[in-house]
Amino acid sequence: MDYGVRAPARLGQTRLMDGRLLGWAEWGPVDGAPVLLCPGAATSRWLGFGGGVVDLAGIRLISVDRPGLGASDPAPGRTLTSWATDIRQLIQRRALRGPSAVGFSQGAPFALALAAHGLVDAVAVVSGSDELAHPRFARSLTPQVREMVNAVTADPAAAENSFADFGSADALWELIVTTSPEADRTVYTDPVFHHAFRRAMDEAFSQGPAGYARDTVLAMGHWPFAADDIAVPVDLWYGQRDTSPVHSPDLGESLTRLIPAADRHLLPAAAGALLWTHAEAILHTLLARLRRT
């Protein structure tokens, strides 16, 4: 089956004011509506989505490596706020007009940080990680995830070192394929998708595990912005069969209530790989939001 993964049409790096390089990949027309992709955990700019959609829809999909992953230089001690600062410079230097964002899985808080800082006009959160340290999830996290959240709260530096000790492309791939429901394993083990996914993971760890570890600390900690201050439209996409313990424990229900202009799309037959199984619906809904703003 065609899950819409394609080699990037364009690859590049943008130099930021402090001299660091931010790596990116693009699909779709160069004059298309810019959509910034915040990838999931430990994947690089190489893994896009919607390969059969972006050209026809006039979308310029831009996947950006977070600092320390893939082709982006490290930024020790980075935060969700500094990520927004980096993307502000990327938007300015590449003259991206009226961008929107997609955040997949662990990329969700990074996409929402862009919205909180007024950098994008709409957001699609897809199988997104929620603010797991928020009190509303005090009783609903699995014991393993609760332990990770508590560790980040108690000693972020020690937790980051622990995540780095675990982090490798092989270890994470094994975790994904052994814990995902059958609907997702069908996607992840498809030969074409598997090749693209593993290439993106290998590139993400090309500088070592520090970038992944920092991402995980930021995803497991408190967000430095309030969800109810996000003013742009946000669509939250979840599959009813999504069993990931690090995605939203209530499949986006409470987050939808917190964000003023949010809509939740809960798909009964889908699991966590929505970015590739429902790319057309996600992107066309995002474009419709932009037309209304």
Side-chain angles (χ1 to χ4, degrees):
M1 183 174 176
D2 183 357
Y3 292 109
V5 290
R6 306 281 192 277
R10 296 170 294 278
L11 292 168
Q13 293 171 295
T14 295
R15 191 170 296 280
L16 305 179
M17 290 179 63
D18 63 3
R20 287 183 295 118
L21 291 171
L22 210 60
W24 47 264
E26 288 191 357
W27 297 259
V30 293
D31 59 349
V35 176
L36 297 165
L37 172 60
C38 298
T43 52
S44 74
R45 59 184 179 165
W46 269 90
L47 187 61
F49 76 105
V53 179
V54 290
D55 285 300
L56 291 175
I59 290 171
R60 179 184 180 185
L61 182 68
I62 308 161
S63 181
V64 185
D65 283 341
R66 293 187 283 275
L69 282 81
S72 288
D73 290 335
R78 61 186 168 89
T79 65
L80 289 172
T81 301
S82 68
W83 164 252
T85 299
D86 286 352
I87 296 301
R88 185 186 301 277
Q89 294 182 49
L90 179 74
I91 290 170
Q92 292 171 344
R93 293 182 178 228
R94 303 206 63 218
L96 304 177
R97 301 185 61 181
S100 57
V102 174
F104 174 68
S105 187
Q106 197 178 83
F110 294 90
L112 290 172
L114 304 183
H117 286 81
L119 299 178
V120 293
D121 293 341
V123 174
V125 167
V126 184
S127 303
S129 178
D130 211 319
E131 188 177 8
L132 301 178
H134 195 283
R136 72 184 188 277
F137 295 131
R139 300 179 183 274
S140 57
L141 300 180
T142 66
Q144 182 182 18
V145 173
R146 169 52 59 194
E147 182 179 349
M148 294 168 69
V149 170
N150 288 343
V152 169
T153 301
D155 191 339
E160 190 167 345
N161 289 334
S162 176
F163 296 144
D165 288 340
F166 170 79
S168 73
D170 289 339
L172 283 172
W173 172 252
E174 182 67 18
L175 182 65
I176 289 168
V177 297
T178 57
T179 61
S180 295
E182 182 61 28
D184 286 341
R185 282 198 299 272
T186 298
V187 178
Y188 299 148
T189 59
D190 171 84
V192 174
F193 188 93
H194 173 256
H195 175 76
F197 200 166
R198 285 308 309 260
R199 176 171 185 168
M201 293 182 77
D202 290 342
E203 187 182 52
F205 281 101
S206 61
Q207 301 181 56
Y212 159 77
R214 187 61 185 171
D215 268 6
T216 306
V217 165
L218 299 182
M220 292 285 176
H222 288 283
W223 294 351
F225 56 87
D228 54 7
D229 286 338
I230 295 174
V232 302
V234 177
D235 285 280
L236 297 106
W237 297 83
Y238 288 92
Q240 187 75 59
R241 299 182 183 180
D242 187 352
T243 59
S244 171
V246 293
H247 291 168
S248 174
D250 62 5
L251 300 179
E253 181 179 0
S254 59
L255 187 57
T256 303
R257 292 196 301 267
L258 286 172
I259 299 173
D263 283 318
R264 184 172 71 140
H265 309 264
L266 187 59
L267 308 182
L274 293 176
L275 195 65
W276 300 284
T277 60
H278 291 74
E280 185 171 4
I282 292 165
L283 289 171
H284 281 294
T285 300
L286 189 61
L287 286 180
R289 295 290 185 201
L290 294 172
R291 295 188 189 105
R292 296 174 199 159
T293 58

